[in-house]
């Protein structure tokens, strides 16, 4: 898969439209911050960036790079898209797994699968139906897997 900046922008816009603006902001911040890479790995895999960094340090008369130092390098376009894809898949898997675990616990303890929040004497309580929530999360997980299936190696089959 090759990176297309329009693709990145489109994904971020879709997240915001789906009321996932906080998630979009977090992912965008992560992409802008770049990733930490040990100098030794930078030297091996990103020779040009390593040399440019070493040159800038030499020009400013700073200490040479050591093998235990860490550099922050920008994500490549493909890495940015994979970061987003991985985060969305993890979010969907976690949503489903947490709801399924709560439902399984309620069933195992012979509890009603509807949870009530609030004090009925003071307010109208809110309800969450764990069965309904689990089904919706399962559908969302399957949809995310389907949408992101190209190029993703999922280990989540065990969740089913």
């Amino acid at each position: 898969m090759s990176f297309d900046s329009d693709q990145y922008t489109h994904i971020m816009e879709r997240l915001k439209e789906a009321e996932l603006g906080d998630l979009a902001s977090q992912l965008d911040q992560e992409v802008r911050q770049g990733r930490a890479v040990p100098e030794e790995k930078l030297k091996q895999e990103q020779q040009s960036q390593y040399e440019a960094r070493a040159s800038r340090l030499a020009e400013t008369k700073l200490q040479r790079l050591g093998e235990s130092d860490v550099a922050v390098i920008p994500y490549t376009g493909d890495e940015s898209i994979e970061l987003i894809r991985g985060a969305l898949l993890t979010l969907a898997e976690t949503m489903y797994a947490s709801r399924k675990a709560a439902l399984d616990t309620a069933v195992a303890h012979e509890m009603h699968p509807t949870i009530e929040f609030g004090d009925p004497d003071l307010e109208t309580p809110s309800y969450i139906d764990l069965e309904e929530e689990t089904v919706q999360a399962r559908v969302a997980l399957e949809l995310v897997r389907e949408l992101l299936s190209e190029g993703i190696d999922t280990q989540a089959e065990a969740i089913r």
Side-chain angles (χ1 to χ4, degrees):
M1 174 179 76
S2 73
F3 177 70
D4 178 356
S5 64
D6 291 339
Q7 183 182 21
Y8 178 84
T9 303
H10 176 72
I11 292 169
M12 289 302 178
E13 287 173 358
R14 292 291 306 268
L15 289 174
K16 290 174 186 170
E17 289 171 7
E19 297 183 19
L20 294 171
D22 289 344
L23 176 62
S25 295
Q26 289 174 358
L27 291 170
D28 193 50
Q29 181 179 358
E30 174 70 25
V31 167
R32 282 185 279 119
Q33 285 178 346
R35 61 186 171 98
V37 177
E39 285 296 332
E40 187 60 32
K41 186 173 182 181
L42 183 65
K43 189 176 187 179
Q44 293 170 354
E45 296 179 9
Q46 306 280 330
Q47 187 66 32
S48 63
Q49 288 188 21
Y50 176 81
E51 290 170 0
R53 182 177 162 106
S55 174
R56 286 192 305 273
L57 289 174
E59 288 172 9
T60 57
K61 300 188 188 316
L62 293 174
Q63 183 177 349
R64 285 185 42 160
L65 299 171
E67 289 185 15
S68 63
D69 289 335
V70 174
V72 176
I73 62 172
Y75 284 101
T76 65
D78 288 344
E79 288 171 337
S80 298
I81 297 297
E82 285 306 311
L83 178 72
I84 294 167
R85 292 166 58 121
L88 292 173
L89 185 59
T90 299
L91 177 62
E93 289 171 346
T94 302
M95 283 175 38
Y96 173 67
S98 62
R99 284 159 177 78
K100 182 161 180 6
L103 178 61
D104 290 348
T105 299
V107 169
H109 289 80
E110 299 177 2
M111 298 167 54
H112 197 276
T114 302
I115 300 172
E116 181 179 317
F117 297 93
D119 185 344
D121 296 334
L122 301 175
E123 61 192 352
T124 303
S126 299
Y127 298 92
I128 292 179
D129 182 334
L130 289 175
E131 290 175 335
E132 182 180 315
E133 287 287 321
T134 302
V135 168
Q136 289 176 350
R138 173 65 181 228
V139 168
L141 174 57
E142 290 173 356
L143 179 61
V144 167
R145 282 181 177 162
E146 181 180 320
L147 292 172
L148 303 178
S149 63
E150 180 182 315
I152 286 205
D153 179 25
T154 62
Q155 300 174 344
E157 292 303 318
I159 291 178
R160 289 185 176 194

